[in-house]
Amino acid sequence: MNNDTESLLSIIIPTYNNGKLVTKLLSALAKQKYVEKAQVIIVDDGSTDDTMEILSQEDLPSNFSVISKKHTGVSSSRNYGIKLAKGKYVTFIDADDMVSDDYIASFVEFYLSQKTYSDVVIFDVNEDTLDKYRKASAEDVCGLIEGIKNNKPFVSVGIHSKFYLKDLMIKSNIKFDPNLRVGEDLIFNASCILAAQQVILSNKKLYFYQEKHSVDKISSQNKLNELTFQRDLKEIIPNKYKEILVRYEITGICFLVERYYSHYRDMGLTFNKAASELRNILKNYEYIRDKRYDDILGRKNRILRKCLSHKLTGTSIIFINLVNGRKVNG
């Protein structure tokens, strides 16, 4: 392969109200080997604090650029970064996370060792027997999208620790869905994996999560987000990988009960209204009776799935509240 690594890698970092954290990340990246071969794009999503002021005072290398735009969410920020990307490959880092000291070098050295382009390169794979690199097989596809293989953690299901060929995204028209605030990275990553001709895996650890992410937060947006996520997933997953839909339907409806309907008062609902609304939504979850993932769901979600499979929505809400130590009122 051509050893010219000029414009090899574009690193896209969306940021919103976290100036102090992102400068720590940028400082670490600026010191890395091969950083001069990377394009680092910081997209500020209309921060309302002093993030932009902090960034303007940073002495950043010439290949680091800071762009400020109207606040429209992390998906649109990443899409904006993709439009500006000049690298053959694109990778994403969240502003409040950290990467290894050889994050850039690990990818560049892999790239230089190959004779052909790979569509997706995935690091942080949980596979002890993995050689330095290996090609993913058809048997790996479900595991790469679900994050588990043989009922064990396999790889993160989002975009982190992954390097995507930009041409793949352009030819397949793969973008982040701006209507999603949770799971947008999973949909993007799954779309790239399904469109790829060659995916390379490595168990080298490159990415370190530092902060609590939005999937763990309670929000009135969780219902619409979950329904949009399921719609997007069904649009991209072919029938031969049906088991992916099964798992995400079950974990998705459990998430919806835990992070939305169990907080029905905060969502402006009565108990009866929440139970009725959840019963109607269940009509779209055709795999709720599927037991294949019970062993990895955990006891709480296993019980919850069984309640929901019998349309016991009120019981499901009461159960989650009792488990979490909350009283249930009408």
Side-chain angles (χ1 to χ4, degrees):
M1 183 178 288
N2 190 336
N3 283 354
D4 178 16
T5 55
E6 195 71 35
S7 298
L8 168 61
L9 180 64
S10 293
I11 302 173
I12 298 172
I13 306 171
T15 183
Y16 178 72
N17 289 353
N18 46 18
K20 293 180 180 178
L21 288 172
V22 73
T23 53
K24 179 181 177 183
L25 170 63
L26 296 178
S27 177
L29 287 173
K31 298 173 185 176
Q32 294 206 3
K33 183 179 179 182
Y34 293 123
V35 66
E36 71 281 359
K37 303 300 183 183
Q39 173 196 23
V40 180
I41 306 168
I42 305 99
V43 183
D44 182 77
D45 189 34
S47 290
T48 57
D49 64 358
D50 58 353
T51 295
M52 282 303 295
E53 182 180 350
I54 292 173
L55 287 171
S56 68
Q57 294 173 359
E58 288 292 303
D59 184 19
L60 299 174
S62 59
N63 54 328
F64 285 48
S65 58
V66 179
I67 295 94
S68 180
K69 68 174 192 62
K70 182 180 178 181
H71 181 58
T72 50
V74 68
S75 290
S76 63
S77 294
R78 290 178 181 139
N79 287 336
Y80 195 82
I82 292 171
K83 288 181 181 179
L84 300 176
K86 298 177 180 178
K88 290 183 178 69
Y89 286 84
V90 174
T91 190
F92 304 91
I93 305 175
D94 284 356
D96 50 6
D97 289 334
M98 188 53 66
V99 294
S100 66
D101 292 341
D102 58 351
Y103 183 84
I104 297 174
S106 294
F107 176 73
V108 172
E109 289 167 2
F110 159 77
Y111 172 83
L112 294 175
S113 71
Q114 302 300 296
K115 295 181 180 179
T116 59
Y117 291 122
S118 299
D119 295 303
V120 184
V121 184
I122 302 175
F123 289 84
D124 290 22
V125 176
N126 295 313
E127 194 169 285
D128 292 338
T129 59
L130 184 61
D131 292 330
K132 194 169 184 180
Y133 306 105
R134 78 166 174 86
K135 292 182 181 180
S137 65
E139 288 71 30
D140 289 316
V141 172
C142 287
L144 292 173
I145 296 174
E146 294 180 63
I148 57 171
K149 187 178 179 182
N150 300 323
N151 288 344
K152 295 179 180 179
F154 184 42
V155 67
S156 71
V157 296
I159 54 176
H160 304 124
S161 291
K162 300 173 179 72
F163 299 78
Y164 304 97
L165 187 66
K166 187 182 177 186
D167 281 350
L168 174 73
M169 293 184 286
I170 294 172
K171 290 176 182 177
S172 302
N173 194 30
I174 298 172
K175 301 176 183 177
F176 290 92
D177 185 346
N179 295 311
L180 283 175
R181 58 177 293 276
V182 177
E184 79 292 334
D185 54 344
L186 187 153
I187 296 294
F188 179 92
N189 181 58
S191 298
C192 288
I193 288 171
L194 292 169
Q197 295 297 312
Q198 178 168 282
V199 177
I200 297 294
L201 309 179
S202 171
N203 59 12
K204 190 168 187 177
K205 182 70 176 173
L206 297 186
Y207 200 95
F208 304 95
Y209 296 97
Q210 304 293 309
E211 295 290 313
K212 189 174 184 179
H213 283 239
S214 56
V215 70
D216 300 315
K217 298 175 182 178
I218 309 300
S219 171
S220 60
Q221 300 175 39
N222 283 345
K223 181 180 75 170
L224 179 58
N225 190 94
E226 164 60 15
L227 299 178
T228 303
F229 173 82
Q230 294 295 338
R231 180 205 67 197
D232 285 1
L233 197 65
K234 287 178 180 178
E235 287 179 357
I236 65 169
I237 301 298
N239 192 55
K240 65 178 178 179
Y241 297 128
K242 173 185 169 182
E243 65 187 84
I244 296 173
L245 296 176
V246 174
R247 178 165 187 258
Y248 282 115
E249 272 204 3
I250 293 171
T251 56
I253 196 66
C254 289
F255 167 86
L256 198 55
V257 176
E258 176 98 38
R259 301 290 175 181
Y260 185 85
Y261 284 109
S262 69
H263 298 267
Y264 59 90
R265 287 186 297 273
D266 296 331
M267 306 306 159
L269 301 172
T270 64
F271 173 78
N272 289 335
K273 177 65 175 176
S276 175
E277 193 174 283
L278 178 56
R279 193 175 300 114
N280 285 329
I281 285 176
L282 266 176
K283 296 175 184 177
N284 299 315
Y285 286 74
E286 57 185 299
Y287 304 122
I288 191 63
R289 293 182 178 274
D290 199 303
K291 304 176 182 178
R292 75 181 75 182
Y293 288 106
D294 276 4
D295 289 343
I296 61 172
L297 279 178
R299 187 167 181 266
K300 179 176 70 175
N301 282 344
R302 189 161 58 246
I303 294 171
L304 182 57
R305 185 202 65 75
K306 290 178 180 178
C307 289
L308 292 170
S309 70
H310 293 288
K311 300 181 181 179
L312 300 174
T313 54
T315 302
S316 300
I317 294 170
I318 292 171
F319 168 68
I320 290 298
N321 275 294
L322 289 175
V323 168
N324 293 328
R326 293 191 300 268
K327 294 181 180 180
V328 178
N329 299 313

